[in-house]
Amino acid sequence: MPKRQLPSLHGLRAFESAGRHLSFSLAALELSVSQSAISHHIRQLEDELGTPLFVRRTRAIALTPAGTVLLAHASQALDLLAAGSRAARETQRCQLRVSLLPSFAAHWLVPRLPRFQAAHPDIEIMLDPALVKAEVGPGGVDLAIRYGQGDWPGSEVQLLLREQLTPVCSPAYRATLPTVLHPADLAPCPRLTSRTRPPSEWDSWASLTGTMLHGPLHMLTDYNIVLQATLNSQGIAMGRLAMLADILASGQLVPLMPDIVARGEIAYWLLTHGKRSPALTVFCDWLLAEAQQTTQRMSQIDT
């Protein structure tokens, strides 16, 4: 194969940009170099080719016939190089499958995920929202984030974020209750809960207050449905403050008794299996850092 006779890549980039814009100054802005650098690279390219590429006028430039021919080829070649670079990077992208509750995905992880993706574009996070724990490890997901008391045998379990629990309702429902609330005032209220809840969620808060809650208990499939029913003023829900910080800050839901908060073993946990890959380690470390920020935010609200 004969040796390729290739001009300077710097010269081609400068020429192609200037040729598209018909402006040395716009090419300089696009390539983040000085206008004199663009002019220098193009002069060198013209010397290499032995022909002028631009007609230089006082306030404008125009392509010569040789420049018109070269611009079409240079644009195509640079597009091919860019596509090849993207394809090469894609081969290095790592995919992580993450199983988690739909409510935690929607209200905690997804709003934060763009920050991770911006910092780690080579790691693709594929979310698998599910109400039941997925198989973690070979043939299953890389990571599961579950809500409960940390008792999942067969997986390595690491604490992510402890929850804080207090009843919440819509502003409209709050208006139907006494202005000054005591725990006993909530006893007859309809309680909304999800089937996937830890069984001690309402019990933990009731034990803390010494209140017997005898209102109807409406069992809904998922905590997202619980939240929607609560927003629709159908009753009160056990608010998971770590997850609902944004909703509470917006005023869509209000805590009924913010001074009475159950803090216990109920938390969000990271479930993995075997040695973590470098990408999984990076993602778990990022999750832990985000969880720490959430905890700090809750402590500031408490004070």
Side-chain angles (χ1 to χ4, degrees), residues 20-102:
R20 274 190 291 109
H21 295 294
L22 289 179
S23 167
F24 285 6
S25 59
L26 291 178
L29 285 174
E30 181 176 84
L31 299 179
S32 300
V33 297
S34 67
Q35 186 171 337
S36 62
I38 293 291
S39 180
H40 175 72
H41 286 313
I42 291 174
R43 284 287 187 194
Q44 283 190 324
L45 181 62
E46 289 175 323
D47 289 343
E48 287 183 59
L49 298 177
T51 184
L53 300 173
F54 290 102
V55 177
R56 293 163 174 83
R57 303 189 178 103
T58 303
R59 296 185 178 277
I61 59 172
L63 288 164
T64 65
T68 300
V69 171
L70 181 60
L71 179 62
H73 289 281
S75 295
Q76 186 177 25
L78 291 174
D79 286 343
L80 285 172
L81 280 174
S85 298
R86 285 194 300 271
R89 283 193 294 268
E90 287 296 323
T91 64
Q92 299 301 315
R93 282 178 65 83
C94 176
Q95 290 185 343
L96 294 177
R97 288 188 59 205
V98 181
S99 171
L100 70 173
L101 289 174

Side-chain angles (χ1 to χ4, degrees), residues 143-212:
L143 172 70
I145 304 174
R146 307 312 298 179
Y147 180 58
Q149 295 176 315
D151 49 349
W152 287 280
S155 296
E156 285 84 32
V157 179
Q158 182 179 14
L159 174 66
L160 174 62
L161 177 63
R162 290 204 181 278
E163 258 301 2
Q164 299 182 13
L165 306 173
T166 196
V168 298
C169 68
S170 68
Y173 192 90
R174 177 66 181 87
T176 68
L177 300 172
T179 303
V180 178
L181 273 177
H182 301 284
D185 295 322
L186 303 186
C189 294
R191 288 171 290 148
L192 306 169
T193 189
S194 63
R195 296 183 186 277
T196 57
R197 80 201 188 291
S200 59
E201 217 179 43
W202 274 103
D203 295 340
S204 295
W205 192 85
S207 298
L208 183 66
T209 61
T211 304
M212 294 292 294

Side-chain angles (χ1 to χ4, degrees), residues 11 70 104 111 114 117 153 161 258-259 262:
L70 181 60
F104 191 73
Q117 293 170 329
L161 177 63
D259 295 334

Side-chain angles (χ1 to χ4, degrees), residues 60-301:
I61 59 172
L63 288 164
T64 65
T68 300
V69 171
L70 181 60
L71 179 62
H73 289 281
S75 295
Q76 186 177 25
L78 291 174
D79 286 343
L80 285 172
L81 280 174
S85 298
R86 285 194 300 271
R89 283 193 294 268
E90 287 296 323
T91 64
Q92 299 301 315
R93 282 178 65 83
C94 176
Q95 290 185 343
L96 294 177
R97 288 188 59 205
V98 181
S99 171
L100 70 173
L101 289 174
S103 55
F104 191 73
H107 300 289
W108 192 87
L109 181 55
V110 168
R112 292 166 171 79
L113 202 52
R115 291 200 289 271
F116 179 82
Q117 293 170 329
H120 303 282
D122 56 326
I123 303 176
E124 181 179 1
I125 306 299
M126 301 179 63
L127 299 184
D128 184 12
L131 298 179
V132 296
K133 174 182 172 292
E135 187 69 27
V136 182
V141 299
D142 300 288
L143 172 70
I145 304 174
R146 307 312 298 179
Y147 180 58
Q149 295 176 315
D151 49 349
W152 287 280
S155 296
E156 285 84 32
V157 179
Q158 182 179 14
L159 174 66
L160 174 62
L161 177 63
R162 290 204 181 278
E163 258 301 2
Q164 299 182 13
L165 306 173
T166 196
V168 298
C169 68
S170 68
Y173 192 90
R174 177 66 181 87
T176 68
L177 300 172
T179 303
V180 178
L181 273 177
H182 301 284
D185 295 322
L186 303 186
C189 294
R191 288 171 290 148
L192 306 169
T193 189
S194 63
R195 296 183 186 277
T196 57
R197 80 201 188 291
S200 59
E201 217 179 43
W202 274 103
D203 295 340
S204 295
W205 192 85
S207 298
L208 183 66
T209 61
T211 304
M212 294 292 294
L213 301 173
H214 54 75
L217 185 65
H218 299 293
M219 300 284 289
L220 304 172
T221 304
D222 172 47
Y223 194 70
N224 274 332
I225 302 175
V226 171
L227 291 178
Q228 190 58 55
T230 309
L231 289 166
N232 291 342
S233 302
Q234 296 175 21
I236 61 177
M238 185 54 64
R240 303 173 185 175
L241 300 186
M243 188 171 70
L244 300 184
D246 292 338
I247 291 180
L248 294 171
S250 72
Q252 297 176 77
L253 293 177
V254 296
L256 286 162
M257 309 191 76
D259 295 334
I260 305 177
V261 177
R263 301 174 176 86
E265 294 301 315
I266 299 176
Y268 303 96
W269 306 83
L270 303 178
L271 279 62
T272 56
H273 180 82
K275 184 178 180 180
R276 294 180 182 178
S277 67
L280 183 55
T281 298
V282 167
F283 185 55
C284 288
D285 288 346
W286 177 82
L287 287 170
L288 291 167
E290 289 289 326
Q292 185 176 20
Q293 291 183 19
T294 298
T295 300
Q296 291 171 349
R297 181 179 177 184
M298 287 194 296
S299 66
Q300 291 168 359
I301 293 173

